[in-house]
Amino acid sequence: MGRIFVVELEGRSYRCKFCGTHLALPDQLVSKSFRCRRGKAYLFSNVFNLYFDSDLLVNMRRVNITVGVLEERMMLSGMHTVADIFCCCCGGIIGWKYEAAHEMSQKYKEGKFVLERGRIVGEMDFSTELFIDTHPE
């Protein structure tokens, strides 16, 4: 697999709940109104710190997360081609990436990422080593 290089994002960022790895910036947030099996989720235009499965295209540039194998999945909004995404540091599943939407009204999701709200935190307070959610909803 090779060496893992983690990108530290400047300013406020969304991080992995389990290990604190930086995942996305607030200005990359597209929507807070997504749902997943485990509850609320956020749609992002880009995320960082991904690891890519060797079966996927190599030219996709992401860091600090892992992207799994593509699969067809029936979602609440219809059939989509998606790949689960994982934190590159702890390996925890943190959401999924939309590769393709089969319905025209859902095409805006293509290439975007969903991070499950229960698996990310808004900021970290390093003085107490507790995660503090600064984006409640």
Side-chain angles (χ1 to χ4, degrees), residues 57-125:
L57 297 174
V58 187
N59 64 355
M60 299 189 207
R61 292 189 48 205
R62 302 280 180 259
V63 291
N64 295 3
I65 66 169
T66 303
V67 177
V69 179
L70 293 176
E71 62 181 69
E72 297 293 317
R73 193 178 295 167
M74 179 56 81
M75 309 288 228
L76 293 173
S77 57
M79 185 65 78
H80 294 82
T81 303
V82 299
D84 287 332
I85 56 176
F86 307 84
C87 174
C88 76
C89 291
C90 68
I93 185 167
I94 53 174
W96 66 90
K97 179 182 182 191
Y98 284 107
E99 288 294 333
H102 298 273
E103 295 180 27
M104 208 52 155
S105 65
Q106 301 299 309
K107 293 286 186 186
Y108 74 96
K109 296 178 183 176
E110 291 181 351
K112 292 186 174 60
F113 299 83
V114 172
L115 298 181
E116 296 181 18
R117 190 65 194 99
R119 296 170 182 268
I120 60 172
V121 290
E123 287 194 55
M124 243 174 127
D125 182 350

Side-chain angles (χ1 to χ4, degrees), residues 15-22 87-92 124 126 131:
R15 302 168 190 238
C16 176
K17 177 180 181 177
F18 307 107
C19 68
T21 300
H22 297 237
C87 174
C88 76
C89 291
C90 68
M124 243 174 127
F126 290 104
F131 293 102

Side-chain angles (χ1 to χ4, degrees), residues 5-69:
F5 292 96
V6 177
V7 173
E8 296 282 328
L9 304 176
E10 290 188 27
R12 293 176 55 164
S13 65
Y14 291 93
R15 302 168 190 238
C16 176
K17 177 180 181 177
F18 307 107
C19 68
T21 300
H22 297 237
L23 299 171
L25 295 170
D27 63 350
Q28 296 163 328
L29 180 64
V30 175
S31 174
K32 289 185 175 182
S33 63
F34 276 68
R35 304 281 307 163
C36 64
R37 281 180 259 184
R38 291 181 271 281
K40 294 180 180 181
Y42 293 171
L43 182 69
F44 288 87
S45 59
N46 193 19
V47 294
F48 299 91
N49 298 328
L50 299 170
Y51 162 80
F52 280 91
D53 189 328
S54 59
D55 293 338
L56 295 177
L57 297 174
V58 187
N59 64 355
M60 299 189 207
R61 292 189 48 205
R62 302 280 180 259
V63 291
N64 295 3
I65 66 169
T66 303
V67 177
V69 179

